[in-house]
Each structure stands twice: as C-alpha cells, then as structure tokens.
Amino acid sequence: MADFQAELQPRLSPDEAPARGGRFHVETYGCQMNSYDSQAISGLLQRAGYARSDDPDVADIVLLNTCSVRDHAEQKILSRIGEIRSIRRRRGLAQPLIGVCGCMAERLGPELRKGQHRVDLVVGVDRYETLPGLVGELLAGEPALEAVVTGHTDEARLVAPPELYPVNNSHLVTIHKGCDYKCTYCIVPMTRGPQKEKAPDLILEEIRGIVAAGGREVTLLGQNVTAYAWPGLDFAGLLQKVAEIPGLERIRFLTGHPRDMHRPLMDVIGRLDSVCPWLHVPIQSGSDRILRRMKRLYDRAEYLDMVDYARRAIPGVTFSSDFIVGFPGETEEDFQATLEVLREVRYDQIFSFKYSERPGVPAARLADDVPLDVKKSRLARLMELQDEVWAGAAAACTGQVWHAVVEGPARRPEGAWQLRTGNNRKVIVTGGELVPGQGVAVRITGHRNTTFFGSCEEC
Ligand code: SAH
Ligand code: SF4
Ligand code: F3S
C-alpha cells in the first residue's frame, strides 16, 4: 500500500477532503448519461485531491461506469472486471481496486461483492457524492467500509464541472435523471429510478459556465428530454431559455420520445436558430401490435404524422432511431412493418438491437420466443435495407453546399478536418487552414456510409 494512505480520514465529504495522492481511472460504458456522470465522478475525485489517469495499469482504483440495457453489455463489463483483476496479479499488489458505478451497480448491488467478481466498491447512479470519502476509506484499508451504496434520491442535482471534455465538440448537460415510462422491455426505470428534473436555474448556470469556459455547443441529455416538466416550464420552454444564453451557438438534445414530440415543441425547434434540426426519435418497431406489447404509447400512424409535421416545421431536419428486433411474439409480418417504416422515414442513421430479456422487467413474463438465428437475420436485413435507403438519400446530396462546424482533425486522411452540420451529418474536408469551432460552407463531393466528404468553399 502506498504511503499516502496512512493520512486518509474515513468518510470525508468532497468539500472536506484534503488534497492527497492516489490515481483513479474511469471507464465508461452505455449511454451519454453515463459519459456525463463519468465527467462528474472525475471532477469530484479530482477536487478531493486524486489524480485522473488514462491508464488502468498505473491506477490505484479503477471505476467502471456500467450499463445494464442488454445482457451483452453486462457480460462485456464482467469480463472487463476479470481483466482488471489480472492487472493486480501481474503487479503482485492488491491494486488497482475495482469499483462498479452506473446501472449495473444499481441492478446487482451486493451481488457484485460476491463470487468470482468480488469488486471492492459498488456505487449507484444517484450516490456519486459519496465517492471521494469511500475511495479514501478504501485506499486506506478502512475495515468498516460501506462498500455498497445504491438507491435513488429525489433530486437530480449532480452538476458536472464546466472545464470538461466535450463529446464530438458538444458539452453534455444532463437535464433530468430516470424515466417514468414503462416500456416493457426496458431495465432503465429500475436502474435509474423515476424521472427527476434538474432545476432550470441549475441547468442554465451549468450552461453559462460551459460558455464562459469557451464552449459553444451543448447536448441536453435525458432518457426522455421531451418529457421535461418543471412547474411552469416544459421542454419547449427550457429550450427557449437555453437559446437566450449569450454566446451559445448550438443546442442538441437526446433522446426525444415520439409521444412527447408534439407540434408546439416542433414549432419551437424550427423557430430557434440555435436548436439543431436533428431528431433522435426511437420508434423501436413499425408494428402496432408490437408497439402495444412494448407499451410505447404511440402507434405507427402517429409516429409517421410526427415525422411529416417535423419535415414541414423544422427546415433541414434529419432523423435517427433505435430499433429492437425479435421482441416476444414478433412475426415476419410485424418485422415487414418495421422495414416499411425505414423506407418511409428515410433515417440518416439507425441503431438496431436484438431483443435481450432483462430480469424483472414486464416483458420478462412473455416467452422470448423468436429464435436467435431469426433475430440475427432480421437484424442483418434491417441494416441492409437501411444501407440501401441511405445510399440513395446520401448520393443525392453530392453537389450541395452545407454549413458545417469544424470539430477537429479527422482521424484519416492525414491533414483532413472533421466537421458536423446542424442536422448531425459528419463531413470530412481535406485541405485548408481550419480552426476547431469555425463555421464554414462545404460542397459535398461524395460519401461512404454515414460520412460525407467535401471541399471548403471559402478556403
Ligand atoms: N430512452 C430512450 C432509449 C433508452 S435505451 C428511448 O426511450 O428511446 C436505448 C435503446 O436500447 C432503446 O431505444 C432500445 O432500442 C434499446 N433497448 C432497450 N432495452 C432493450 C432490450 N431489453 N433489448 C434490446 N434492446 C433494448
Ligand atoms: Fe426505457 Fe422506455 Fe424509458 Fe426509454 S422511455 S428509458 S425505452 S422505459
Ligand atoms: Fe445503459 Fe443505464 Fe444508459 S442501462 S443505456 S447506462 S441509462
């Protein structure tokens, strides 16, 4: 054990914690809400005197911020725990210690302290303010360690420090936690708890901080941002207040629930210049029968009507969606209805998943009766059709001139820049002296998959 541990005090609140040594490493799995929380976790630990390390090999504690949404996600994390254990064996030390945060911490709690995984610390999604004190105790080898801290609080006040790490140039701002919908397949209401709004003042203050630190773009985050409901302020009202912040140029948001994407909200999105015209509105299935079984609270006609209205109200709007194939009872006919939606909407991007039964959710009472090979083949057919529909839509963009903002150097080719349009299209531009954050006009010359290539009109 390292020397600094002797001077640590048990159970310090973050504000009381003295500067001390010790390195932590955070790995993030799952959705953007976890990315945001990982920033906040890092901020809390750094303020308490710990150093962030990108390398688990030299860390004193590794925190895994985890996801439970599908079995595959959990299995990946369990095998990662095994890999970190092997770092310990290689180093011949009891470190790095292993902590599990996020949705698996909430779902499995004390189970993670037993058996082959036996992690050292389990902290759930609403309890991160306890981390600095607990990490201190743990590194000091405190015997009376409270190693499992889970359960939901009433507030959503976790505020990420603004000096942070944007994702794709956009600063994440969680506006609420949890979810009040009860989609029958979904573990999230169990792991994240009921919907809890972050107060508008806190959201605005956080975004002003981001702008003051040089940020120009934010992504408002929540499982259903469109269901944001503060007394006297709905999501459309919040968007208007955020759009009034001087210096903020672009506002994105994730995820919109199709049911809450009502016309007045779409009018506001269309009217506000700084709100980006990109809607991530997961439909999950195109079959009304399956949508009812999923308890998604809209039908296919309502969804398509929403898309149609958005096209009229929001200039340049693009759409993306999530899909689940092989939900219990899904027939070939149901699946065909999903394929039709793909043809009708012409999404820019889709994220598709094989149904994965989650313990304790309502759909777990239904037989998981679509065989794995059928799920796999439906997934492949869905992606194939998307590629086909998209190839036509993307080819028609060649020759167009778009406004896009420079995100930074592209990974390939050497010297190229990666830009993004308001409607979330990625464009690679070669040549030209560009600066991150700069807005330029680009002429589209071609595309590969969802990435466009272009030349800068002004360089
Ligand atoms: N709140 C968002 C998304 C939540 S989880 C929404 O309502 O759309 C992200 C995606 O994971 C979901 O949109 C869904 O497509 C997928 N998903 C959730 N539970 C799943 C399960 N049990 N099996 C397969 N995919 C699932
Ligand atoms: Fe899960 Fe449905 Fe809530 Fe999305 S809206 S998080 S899919 S329960
Ligand atoms: Fe996964 Fe939890 Fe997000 S289950 S998708 S990390 S809310």
Side-chain angles (χ1 to χ4, degrees):
M1 291 255 180
D3 292 336
F4 66 87
Q5 289 161 0
E7 48 185 270
L8 297 183
Q9 301 295 312
R11 213 156 322 281
L12 291 168
S13 80
D15 293 333
E16 293 162 337
R20 46 186 132 178
R23 275 164 297 194
F24 68 91
H25 170 75
V26 184
E27 289 180 12
T28 308
Y29 300 84
C31 63
Q32 280 94 338
M33 255 96 44
N34 268 5
S35 304
Y36 177 87
D37 287 353
S38 289
Q39 292 175 11
I41 288 170
S42 293
L44 284 167
L45 290 172
Q46 279 168 312
R47 272 185 233 139
Y50 297 101
R52 189 166 142 247
S53 165
D54 290 335
D55 183 359
D57 266 339
V58 300
D60 301 300
I61 182 161
V62 172
L63 298 170
L64 303 177
N65 196 3
T66 61
C67 175
S68 292
V69 80
R70 285 170 289 276
D71 182 58
H72 180 69
E74 290 197 340
Q75 294 307 325
K76 219 167 72 182
I77 291 157
L78 293 176
S79 71
R80 184 66 186 142
I81 292 173
E83 283 168 17
I84 295 165
R85 280 192 176 286
S86 70
I87 298 179
R88 280 191 202 177
R89 280 196 295 276
R90 218 169 44 235
R91 279 161 72 174
L93 294 170
Q95 291 171 338
L97 299 171
I98 306 172
V100 171
C101 305
C103 288
M104 273 174 89
E106 219 49 72
R107 191 177 92 71
L108 296 169
E111 265 182 60
L112 289 164
R113 296 270 295 141
K114 299 183 197 140
Q116 63 175 123
H117 306 300
R118 277 198 325 284
V119 302
D120 303 287
L121 182 64
V122 179
V123 179
V125 297
D126 283 351
R127 311 301 301 274
Y128 296 141
E129 77 285 355
T130 65
L131 267 169
L134 293 171
V135 167
E137 286 180 346
L138 198 56
L139 292 178
E142 284 289 320
L145 188 73
E146 190 191 353
V148 181
V149 185
T150 54
H152 299 294
T153 58
D154 296 336
E155 288 177 81
R157 63 195 143 75
L158 190 65
V159 179
E163 61 269 8
L164 336 167
Y165 333 97
V167 172
N168 284 345
N169 230 28
S170 202
H171 292 262
L172 306 177
V173 178
T174 294
I175 65 165
H176 63 192
K177 289 183 167 186
C179 182
D180 280 346
Y181 287 93
K182 296 190 169 45
C183 305
T184 53
Y185 51 80
C186 185
I187 195 81
V188 172
M190 279 166 73
T191 60
R192 299 302 253 224
Q195 186 174 315
K196 291 155 295 225
E197 314 299 20
K198 192 186 275 180
D201 286 353
L202 281 182
I203 297 171
L204 297 173
E205 184 189 310
E206 193 172 334
I207 299 175
R208 280 192 210 102
I210 288 168
V211 174
R216 292 291 170 264
E217 177 177 320
V218 292
T219 301
L220 307 179
L221 286 182
Q223 288 298 352
N224 285 309
V225 282
T226 43
Y228 184 84
W230 188 259
L233 195 74
D234 62 3
F235 185 61
L238 181 68
L239 275 181
Q240 297 187 65
K241 284 193 181 292
V242 173
E244 283 163 14
I245 294 177
L248 183 65
E249 292 171 7
R250 286 171 307 283
I251 305 162
R252 302 182 190 273
F253 58 89
L254 277 175
T255 293
H257 194 291
R259 188 205 191 189
D260 305 314
M261 196 57 83
H262 46 72
R263 290 183 174 201
L265 171 59
M266 291 192 272
D267 290 339
V268 167
I269 296 169
R271 214 169 47 233
L272 294 173
D273 287 342
S274 54
V275 177
C276 293
W278 162 49
L279 303 184
H280 181 64
V281 272
I283 187 171
Q284 313 295 1
S285 166
S287 153
D288 283 345
R289 202 176 69 84
I290 297 297
L291 286 172
R292 268 197 308 278
R293 293 191 123 195
M294 289 178 164
K295 284 217 166 66
R296 282 295 285 180
L297 309 173
Y298 51 83
D299 62 23
R300 170 204 175 93
E302 285 164 342
Y303 183 91
L304 293 176
D305 183 62
M306 178 273 294
V307 167
D308 189 50
Y309 189 81
R311 287 215 157 99
R312 285 181 277 136
I314 309 171
V317 69
T318 55
F319 301 92
S320 53
S321 178
D322 299 343
F323 289 87
I324 297 175
V325 298
F327 185 80
E330 185 189 71
T331 62
E332 175 61 24
E333 200 185 341
D334 294 318
F335 179 63
Q336 287 294 337
T338 298
L339 294 180
E340 270 168 40
V341 166
L342 224 61
R343 287 192 198 94
E344 283 200 38
V345 178
R346 301 186 307 280
Y347 294 102
D348 262 39
Q349 224 176 347
I350 65 163
F351 304 88
S352 40
F353 311 102
K354 296 190 290 289
Y355 171 71
S356 166
E357 186 178 290
R358 307 312 293 128
V361 304
R365 291 196 292 269
L366 305 170
D368 185 6
D369 56 359
V370 179
L372 185 59
D373 58 333
V374 175
K375 285 181 185 166
K376 280 187 182 163
S377 111
R378 286 185 188 161
L379 193 71
R381 286 162 65 201
L382 190 74
M383 294 197 291
E384 212 173 290
L385 178 62
Q386 170 63 15
D387 287 349
E388 194 185 310
V389 173
W390 172 245
C397 297
T398 299
Q400 292 180 1
V401 176
W402 295 345
H403 181 265
V405 173
V406 181
E407 291 192 328
R411 255 182 288 163
R412 285 192 303 267
E414 181 86 17
W417 293 94
Q418 178 171 310
L419 293 81
R420 193 169 296 267
T421 62
N423 58 10
N424 204 37
R425 289 176 168 168
K426 191 166 96 182
V427 187
I428 304 294
V429 167
T430 2
E433 287 297 305
L434 298 175
V435 185
Q438 184 184 355
V440 289
V442 287
R443 183 174 295 276
I444 301 306
T445 52
H447 80 282
R448 191 168 55 232
N449 303 326
T450 51
T451 301
F452 288 92
F453 301 96
S455 57
C456 174
E457 287 276 281
E458 301 148 27
C459 307

